[in-house]
Amino acid sequence: MVAARGQAHNKSDGAEPTYKHSHFTHNDESDDDGDTDSLIKPSQSVHRQLSNAAAHIPLTIPTSSTSINQIMKLAVLIALASGAQAFAPTTTSSNSALRMSEVPAEEVAEVAAPTVAPINGWVPDAAQPCYGLPGAISPLGFFDPLGFSNGELGTVKRLREAEIMHGRVSMAATLGYLIGESTPTITYGMDVHHTIANNQLPEVPGTVLFPFFLAINIAEAWRASAGWVEPGLGSLFELREKYYPGDIGFDPFGLKPKDAKEFANMQSKELSNGRLAMLAAAGMCVQEQINGQGILETLGF
């Protein structure tokens, strides 16, 4: 019996274990899909094949050197399978990477603040009254009780353009009231004809009025071409983007300062005189309509 057991034992020790071979294949067609699953399938296939190969190794209690070798091979296969799985990208990370790649660059990068080229040293600033245009002069400072300057930049520029133009016309009108009523003129010659200014226009001959109105039309056409957008190319009453209100490029004596602060100071002075002239011209017109006398005559001259 002992001999039989020994022969059986020797027979079992000499038996070579059989293993079912598993070929590792790679699916090349999955690479053409461009999908994230094509990156995961090869590693999962390797892991599956290694697991199948390990399943065919018999698990027995190590009673001989052959059994110990089988256990060691099984451990090696499990370690290889774990290593292959560790290098396989997960679906979550792949999707996250794709989602990050789909985010537009404008949302990731900070949007740079648009830079505006200064016009006569002025850069529009919505945080300041009238977008930083000069004209807030003491003692009142910024005075806009009706909120006309609360509009958009184009509206504020158009209102400032109107203020400057009316101020310039009023300054000329104020001088016209004084000179036309008390000095020799083209219409009346050397004879100082004390007709009040409100009634002088009907007395002016047509030969004088025609060149006068022609000069006004030329000046207005020049101002419109310099500062206003052509009809059909933009909305009505729209100023050019690079146009500074009131700066039509007419400076025959070169009085326009080149320094930004000096230019703002000069425009503040022009605005102050223009605002005063608008009040003065309106007062002269009303005063002459009331008493029918000239300005200097009313003052006693």
Side-chain angles (χ1 to χ4, degrees):
M1 183 182 296
V2 176
R5 290 180 179 177
Q7 292 176 358
H9 181 70
N10 293 334
K11 186 177 180 180
S12 62
D13 292 341
E16 293 294 335
T18 60
Y19 302 98
K20 188 175 181 179
H21 297 282
S22 177
H23 297 282
F24 301 156
T25 61
H26 180 73
N27 188 5
D28 295 335
E29 297 179 354
S30 61
D31 295 337
D32 299 334
D33 295 337
D35 195 351
T36 56
D37 294 339
S38 63
L39 302 175
I40 304 173
K41 288 180 180 179
S43 299
Q44 292 180 347
S45 177
V46 171
H47 178 65
R48 190 180 300 109
Q49 294 175 8
L50 291 174
S51 301
N52 293 335
H56 289 82
I57 300 177
L59 297 176
T60 58
I61 298 175
T63 58
S64 62
S65 60
T66 302
S67 299
I68 294 175
N69 291 335
Q70 295 175 357
I71 296 299
M72 293 179 65
K73 291 179 180 180
L74 176 61
V76 172
L77 290 174
I78 295 175
L80 290 175
S82 301
Q85 183 66 23
F87 285 97
T90 60
T91 304
T92 303
S93 60
S94 301
N95 293 338
S96 299
L98 288 177
R99 286 195 297 268
M100 292 179 63
S101 64
E102 293 174 357
V103 176
E106 292 79 7
E107 296 181 5
V108 178
E110 294 182 359
V111 179
T115 57
V116 180
I119 310 173
N120 292 332
W122 168 69
V123 177
D125 187 1
Q128 298 183 9
C130 286
Y131 290 87
L133 286 170
I137 306 168
S138 59
L140 296 179
F142 178 71
F143 182 75
D144 184 19
L146 300 180
F148 289 111
S149 62
N150 295 334
E152 299 179 352
L153 177 61
T155 303
V156 173
K157 289 178 63 177
R158 188 171 67 251
L159 291 176
R160 174 51 57 88
E161 172 79 6
E163 182 182 18
I164 292 177
M165 291 298 107
H166 283 84
R168 292 171 180 175
V169 171
S170 297
M171 286 187 283
T174 302
L175 293 177
Y177 268 98
L178 300 177
I179 296 175
E181 293 177 349
S182 57
T183 59
T185 61
I186 298 177
T187 303
Y188 302 110
M190 298 302 296
D191 183 17
V192 178
H193 186 72
H194 287 283
T195 301
I196 60 175
N198 291 352
N199 298 333
Q200 285 184 1
L201 189 60
E203 298 179 0
V204 177
T207 55
V208 177
L209 285 179
F210 178 76
F212 175 72
F213 285 111
L214 181 61
I216 294 177
N217 291 332
I218 293 174
E220 285 299 307
W222 185 0
R223 183 172 72 94
S225 62
W228 300 80
V229 177
E230 291 81 358
L233 299 181
S235 60
L236 294 177
F237 312 112
E238 181 180 357
L239 293 178
R240 299 184 188 274
E241 183 178 357
K242 296 183 179 180
Y243 175 71
Y244 189 90
D247 187 8
I248 60 176
F250 181 75
D251 185 21
F253 300 104
L255 300 178
K256 177 182 176 180
K258 296 182 180 180
D259 183 72
K261 293 183 179 180
E262 293 180 0
F263 179 84
N265 185 29
M266 177 172 283
Q267 191 180 44
S268 297
K269 294 178 180 179
E270 182 183 17
L271 287 169
S272 297
N273 287 286
R275 292 164 181 171
L276 179 61
M278 285 187 281
L279 295 175
M284 291 178 180
C285 180
V286 172
Q287 183 265 321
E288 288 191 354
Q289 287 297 114
I290 292 176
N291 60 9
Q293 298 179 355
I295 302 301
L296 295 181
E297 186 179 358
T298 301
L299 295 176
F301 293 97

